[in-house]
Amino acid sequence: MKASAFSYARATSVANALELLVAHGDRAKVLSGGQSLMPAMNLRLISPELIVDIGEITELRGIAVRDGVLSIGALTRHVDLLRSPEIAAHAPLLTEAVAHVAHPAIRNRGTLGGSLAHADPASELPACMVALNASIIVRGQTGERRITAGDFFTGIYETALSAQELLVAVELPVAQKNSAHFFHEFARRHGDYAIAGVAARAIVQGGLFTDLRTAFFAVGGRPILAKAAAKLVNVGITPALLSEASAALGEELDPQDDQQASAAMRQHLAKMLLARCASALLGRPDLTAGGPV
């Protein structure tokens, strides 16, 4: 199939893009990298009347570190995240995760902002934003809003972004001393949609977690910051405690059946991921010894 007829406008600035979005509302869609938008249009899952191309707005590109904050423009491409020394130094979780995003051809065109605004529940980068406690910066004609990543993603392909706003940047706190990260996903093939995955950021001191944020993806309608992880903070972790936390995680998740996996399988994989995460971050293989990891 091919997309239904649509009009096209290339925005010359953020202000120009916002003018177009305000004028056309829900009838318009923003084109950044196009790696999710165009397939959806070709399958006629969506049929916008106007495409607003923001790809030439240079102010929306780039990576910078200022005053302990890592700022990433919305049009920064996946490949730029993968190659950035600033990302590797200050948010290494992103460096690892973005290597799992689809395939090189997609990463060469896809953008951070496009991925976040699309909000695919099986996507890696939204979960990373939740794990890293990122702020999503959106701009409308009346000014900017800063939305924490945990509040930005609201459901399957749904966000707090209105039809008359543009996602312009992401801000992350730089990695702290003693910080560590973990990323893993289960997929049929590297680059396929995840069946279950986790992105985690931790502070480890004296063999203990003093902070642990685990964001699970592909196991619900949006990234899920696991409350069960709190059971593992500021306490000596034993296999029994880890098993208790895994059971609590299972109570939090409500995955759905689909053609890739059953809900029960996804829940089982998420529990395995929590165990692997704790074991790897603490350097404690004994935590998963004898169990399925």
Side-chain angles (χ1 to χ4, degrees), residues 12 18 30 56 102 118 155 238 243 254 285 289:
T12 56
L18 292 174
V30 173
E56 298 302 316
H118 186 56
T238 64
S243 178
D254 186 24

Side-chain angles (χ1 to χ4, degrees), residues 244-268:
E244 180 184 329
S246 295
L249 174 65
E251 296 296 319
E252 290 185 54
L253 304 181
D254 186 24
Q256 302 298 310
D257 295 320
D258 63 20
Q259 68 274 18
Q260 288 209 89
S262 67
M265 179 179 178
R266 281 194 159 91
Q267 194 170 75
H268 173 68

Side-chain angles (χ1 to χ4, degrees), residues 182 198 200 209 212 214 216 226-233 235-252 267-293:
F182 179 84
V198 67
F209 290 123
L212 176 62
T214 56
F216 290 84
K227 298 177 182 177
K231 293 180 176 290
L232 306 178
V233 175
V235 62
I237 299 177
T238 64
L241 179 60
L242 188 55
S243 178
E244 180 184 329
S246 295
L249 174 65
E251 296 296 319
E252 290 185 54
Q267 194 170 75
H268 173 68
L269 292 176
K271 292 177 181 180
M272 290 173 60
L273 285 168
L274 180 61
R276 285 189 179 186
C277 176
S279 177
L281 289 174
L282 294 175
R284 292 270 312 277
D286 61 294
L287 292 176
T288 52
V293 295

Side-chain angles (χ1 to χ4, degrees), residues 139-217:
R139 190 178 302 170
Q141 286 193 317
T142 59
E144 285 189 352
R145 291 197 295 149
R146 301 173 63 85
I147 309 170
T148 61
D151 294 329
F152 182 77
F153 305 102
T154 58
I156 301 175
Y157 305 113
E158 295 179 348
T159 72
L161 186 69
S162 80
Q164 298 178 342
E165 291 179 314
L166 195 62
L167 195 162
V168 296
V170 169
E171 291 184 350
L172 307 166
V174 300
Q176 303 175 40
K177 183 180 179 181
N178 298 319
S179 66
H181 73 278
F182 179 84
F183 181 89
H184 193 79
E185 67 178 38
F186 291 107
R188 294 187 183 278
R189 296 178 304 173
H190 184 86
D192 282 4
Y193 286 110
I195 297 173
V198 67
R201 191 270 293 159
I203 304 296
V204 181
Q205 292 181 308
L208 302 178
F209 290 123
T210 59
D211 188 32
L212 176 62
R213 293 176 63 88
T214 56
F216 290 84
F217 58 99

